[in-house]
Amino acid sequence: MIKPWFALIGIIGIASFGYGQKNVNTQLAGELKGYPENKKAKLVAKQHKSSYTFQLTENTLTVINTNTLDLIALEGNLDHREYVAYNNNVAVLDASVRYTTGKNIFSAKVCGNYEVDDIFYSDAKICSYPMNFLSEGTEITFQSKLQYNDPKYLTRIFFHDSKPTEFREVSVIVPDGVEVELVEKNFDGLTIEKSKLNQAGNTVHTYRVKRLPEKKNEENSLGSLYHFPHLVVLTKSFKTKAGVSKVLASVGDLYNWYASLTKQINNDPSALKAEVERLTKSCKTPEEKIKAIYYWIQDNIKYIAFEEGIAGFRPEAAQQVYQNRFGDCKGMANLTKEMLKLAELDARLTWIGTRQIPYTYDIPSLSVDNHMVCTVFLNNQYFVLDATEKFMPFGSSNAERIQGKQILVENGNDFILKTLPEESATSNQVTRTENLTFQEGALIGQGELSMKGEAKKSFLYANAAVKTEDLKRLFHELALPNRLNTDKIEITNKPITHRDSALLVQYAYTVNNKASKFKDDWYLNLDWIKQMFDLSLEEDRVTDYYFYRKLKSVTRKKIQVPEGYQVTHIPTNMTRSHPDFSFEVKFKMQGNELVYENIITIPQGLIKKSSFKDWNASIKELKAVYNDPIILSKKP
Amino acid sequence: MIRFISLFLTLLASLAFAADRSAEIREEMWNSSDKTFALTDVPPQWAGKSAVYLAKLNRFEFRKAVMASYVRRNQYNHYRIKLLDQNAITRYAEMTYDESIGNTYQVYVGFKIIKSNGKEQIIDISRAVKMQRESRGRKYGYFKLAIPGLEPGDILDYYICEEESILTTAKLYFFDPVIHCLTREYPVANYKLQFRASRKCYINLKSLNGAPALKVVSDEKDDEEFYSFEGTDLDGSDDQRWVFPYRDLPTIKFRAAYAYSGGLADYFGVLLGEPRVAKTKVLPSELAELTEKMMRSTLSIFTLPKEIKDTKVISNPFQAAEKIYYSNRHDELINYAERNEFMEYNPPRVSEIEFIKAMNTELKAKKIPHDIVIGMRRHISTIDDVIMENELDWLIRIKKGKEFLYLTAFEKHTPAGFLHPLLQGTEAYVVDGLVPPAQWAPKKVTLPTAAAQDNLIETYTTATLSADLDAVKLVVKKAISGAGKEGYQEEVLDYYDYEPEEFKRYPRDKTSLKVSKLDKNATARKNAYMSKRTEKKMESWKPWVESEFTFKVKDIELPKVENTGRFDLTTPFSFQYTCATEEIVQRAGTNHIVDVGKLLEEQTKIKPEELNRATNIYLEYPRKIVAHLTVVAPAGYTWEGTEQLLKTVVNKYGEFSAAARVEGNTLIIETTKQYSAVFVPKADWPKVVEFLNAALEYSDQKALLVKSK
């Protein structure tokens, strides 16, 4: 009854048909399937060659990047897309899809803005090129050609791809007169063959590597810059008839370029004056002024990121951010600086790479930083003010994501480099203390929860983001997570949710499903939050496991043994100490009370890949302790 | 040069028009006499809310465009919302709206903030950024606008209006129907829902569930009718489980159709009524007329199976109808399934009208008594509230005395006798399929209702504990019948699981992937699938099994299908699979605790905030879930605590019951969870919570395993 329209489909079918088995290399596909690194792969890059050719014209330097990717399918009927990213500084000159044997394939590319959750608008764009590998062993070649209009925007070259790569070659061709340094990162443990040849007035740097596994995007990872080999490209200068032009040869050059952009900001302090006066009129000390301004910006300026061309590097004028009540990190840092200056404080713009960038300013590259803050100098001390952090108190530690990072602070024609201190895990400590009684199946508790540092900050974000009518529920969830509708919970204090105050939540509860009775014995689980209970790490994970903050969790519970009962079993204590983590779980009787203490510390907030085995063994042990109940038996 | 000037002038004119229109719309939206759009205060009952709409207007317009082949559909949305907390500020700090496309789709927007001191600030929309995607020369775009300076207590007053010209060659054009639920996440102090239509438009319209009554105003000047619903003080509503919003919350249904002439409407039209008169009621005779018109305009033919064709007098109409049904399900769907899949055509399908037309023809040919049933699914409205044809369902019922066999337009697994659960228990109209349409006399009937027992999911789980108690092997057999069966069939079966039984039953040539130039690619696609079939099936099967349990499982094997259940309504679809876990036995002192409750299916958890229920409860169908759990301990162990594994909570809306016994070293648990009703008044929500809580609490039940002395 339902007949397809054969005529049209016939035409399309015949048009797309043709190269049949000519494009198929089943033998190679079979071989590649046998390699362990290709075990889960559906597609392999047989060969991936990239070249970056610096082109010197009369007085400009550009870079042409060509990529040739020979792909082979390890299963048939595989739909795949290749992507090419571009922006205002990088143009796509050409891209093509063809069978490796030569015949072109029509690929209905789709191009458009590349949208990232945290960024309202950027000039980042992407083209995707679809292709279908009809049979196992089908070979398709994807080629692309891009142009960097300004060499400082060519910052990094990676070797890995989203699929395993049998052979990877990267060549960087630098004409005489152009000074380029290639900084090798994460090359340890890999056999990367390198060569440097002089050919017809060019220096050709070539890197070749075989059998690269796929580059995985793993959750809770510090990011690819920490793990995957790459080259940081430092284009330092180039020589033309007009003389030597500097690009970025040193941190000084980088600072000068940044400074040249900040000079272009047309700040109008008069537009901020009344607000600064209003905010600081009752302040008696410089610290109070800083707080008044810093907190007002945190509270009133929404982070909305625009990254378009040069605007991705140049802060928006302070008065514009002030009027808009929104801005990106640069705009907020600049507004902070301008308002503090009006309050007669020494405030300066400051560049910084957050934790996801493992470089220091030894590397003069646009890839060294990704964030801007404001530094205020006071009484021979300096304080970093990051107004994008909504609940960061003044004068204490910095946000975890910038701790230990180097800052580049403006200093007129010069600059200052400093390194921010690292805090300990205790600065983020979460402490839960509870006193419990047990009444025939029900656990009745009174407790308090205190949170510091990043832990408190995360909660304050949630507190500010939640709807007014859901606020009570948020505190209930904090006090007694994942509760049943038959459990009872009440918050007994009025928690202060200010960045400068400690967060302390006091509560009382009754829960009913934490005890089981067998004959005359009660089996109780005292800790139902079970920190880290399910966090065994996959051994085939490539990257270290990152918690996004240093962790310290302390839980102390006391339970009164009910009258007529005695404790006949308590779980075995557990203590594990490792450079990456420590677990300390203890049970002990104190008179008629059983005391439970659980202290977990992840001092760097990071479990290294090399520690996974020890971590998993400890988690297994921890899990056994959590699952082992306390047994209350009737006294004889 | 003349051409260039002409183009330039046209462009200039069109830009000027757009600017004028933009100004007109702004004037209308922001300087209207509507006083509700000047309100600034939140009614006291909503003071603690995140945000409150002070005023809200949604207006839809339908008319003929000036140009001959176009109709116009315009939509004007105007909101005045007071933002009371940071959550609301964050939501409204970034707004999006579509980009205009040529002259056929124009978008007009305006945003202004009213500060608490009354100062108004109009947002410069030229600062919006354009997000664009381009494919095959066509561009699609939308704008993102950051709203500056928002603070709690601010009012955001904004409009987003669309004016669209739609090219049509049809002489009778049906605009997309609108089903508008008035309730929104935030409370609404004042609202207006308006429809404006040219007098040549036919209007279907209905106000439901306490939505305000219709007001009609004639606009003689513009030769238009203006339909308006206005109301105040509408509470907000968060998403809730088990609610049919169109049945429980104030809702308006609307559809407009433009006819070039009344004659055309008479000929082509369905459920149209008269121009200028809002049609709010559809008569049974109109439903019959609609059915006849739709069947008349459909060309579809089924084939009679030879044994039916050769039978002169049908003695068992049910049996004969089933044979026709399954034979044609095979011919129309299964026969083409493989070819369409690998030739990358759309999957074969038969629409309801095609189905009843073809089935009616064959049934008439064999004089098999039957009705054509015109029904309406329960989650939309009752049949008395129907106003548009797209709300309706059509099916066939075979008659044998006072018994009926329902035949629904088949999908690849649909059995004869299947009646969609949302049609069950509803009122519907039937017309006699054996009499000519001219003699059709629609009769109202109530469609039958299945009992919970008819929609049964039975699970037989054997959990065998290893000698060291560290590991548990699970053998799980499931048997599903009734309304839930098709979902499981879709999950578990691929085409090659049921191809053999289909072609054994209907041994005719398959419309296959012929080896021709055209089909070589399809054959390659098939070969690719077959070579990886196990892995492909496991890709979806593994997460499905993992989602069945609240603990980690491993060593998951693909299911073995015991009965596809595809040729009979009551035969369950049954399959068996195995997996293993190390998560349900814990050491407890010298003994071990087994989380037996977790071996049952994951239970529904009603959160504390769900206890206060503002809406009635609607379930798709009644159902019964029975679990037979056998836990085998290694020799030398005995079970304790099994007396706690007994539980019974039963009320009129459902039940949870459990029984347990020990046989040697084996613990046997049987549980039944049942949803008995499909509708529960909100006052009785605690009764639903009661049996759901019982089931949830049971999932925490444990049994103690003691080493025999």
Side-chain angles (χ1 to χ4, degrees), chain B residues 304-316 320 362-369:
Chain B
L304 281 179
K306 190 169 184 310
E307 58 184 302
I308 302 294
K309 201 173 181 179
D310 294 346
T311 306
K312 290 209 167 147
V313 179
I314 301 293
S315 58
N316 187 337
E362 304 310 329
L363 294 170
K364 273 199 294 194
K366 300 309 292 184
K367 296 189 174 54
I368 297 173

Side-chain angles (χ1 to χ4, degrees), chain B residues 22-179:
Chain B
S22 180
E24 271 175 28
I25 288 178
R26 171 179 289 216
E27 179 68 15
E28 187 195 335
M29 293 291 151
W30 282 347
N31 292 321
S32 77
S33 56
D34 186 341
K35 287 180 181 164
T36 64
F37 278 95
L39 292 172
T40 56
D41 294 331
V42 168
Q45 71 269 28
W46 296 321
K49 295 289 178 185
S50 178
V52 175
Y53 287 106
L54 300 174
K56 180 170 167 289
L57 163 75
N58 303 105
R59 189 171 78 237
F60 299 82
E61 293 183 354
F62 309 93
R63 55 172 71 97
K64 175 75 184 67
V66 179
M67 284 185 289
S69 305
Y70 285 85
V71 290
R72 289 190 71 86
R73 184 204 66 89
N74 304 330
Q75 185 174 340
Y76 304 90
N77 300 308
H78 184 189
Y79 305 96
R80 187 175 172 93
I81 184 166
K82 188 151 185 166
L83 310 173
L84 299 170
D85 66 10
Q86 199 58 44
N87 175 280
I89 297 292
T90 303
R91 281 179 152 203
Y92 283 88
E94 295 173 17
M95 303 293 289
T96 60
Y97 53 92
D98 287 341
E99 182 187 11
S100 298
I101 302 171
N103 289 325
T104 56
Y105 178 67
Q106 295 298 315
V107 180
Y108 304 97
V109 300
F111 300 85
K112 67 177 176 180
I113 300 168
I114 297 98
K115 307 300 282 185
S116 44
N117 63 7
K119 193 177 164 194
E120 287 196 358
Q121 178 190 346
I122 294 174
I123 312 302
D124 177 6
I125 58 167
S126 69
R127 297 183 60 188
V129 292
K130 184 155 77 172
M131 308 302 286
Q132 209 164 42
R133 189 160 58 97
E134 185 175 357
S135 178
R136 299 189 185 202
R138 293 187 66 182
K139 288 181 180 174
Y140 312 86
Y142 73 95
F143 288 98
K144 286 168 85 171
L145 178 67
I147 306 293
L150 278 181
E151 296 167 306
D154 285 353
I155 293 167
L156 181 64
D157 189 322
Y158 70 98
Y159 59 86
I160 298 176
C161 304
E162 302 164 12
E163 294 188 339
E164 185 179 14
S165 300
I166 303 163
L167 180 65
T168 175
T169 52
K171 297 297 176 191
L172 176 63
Y173 183 83
F174 289 93
F175 292 94
D176 287 343
V178 177
I179 301 186

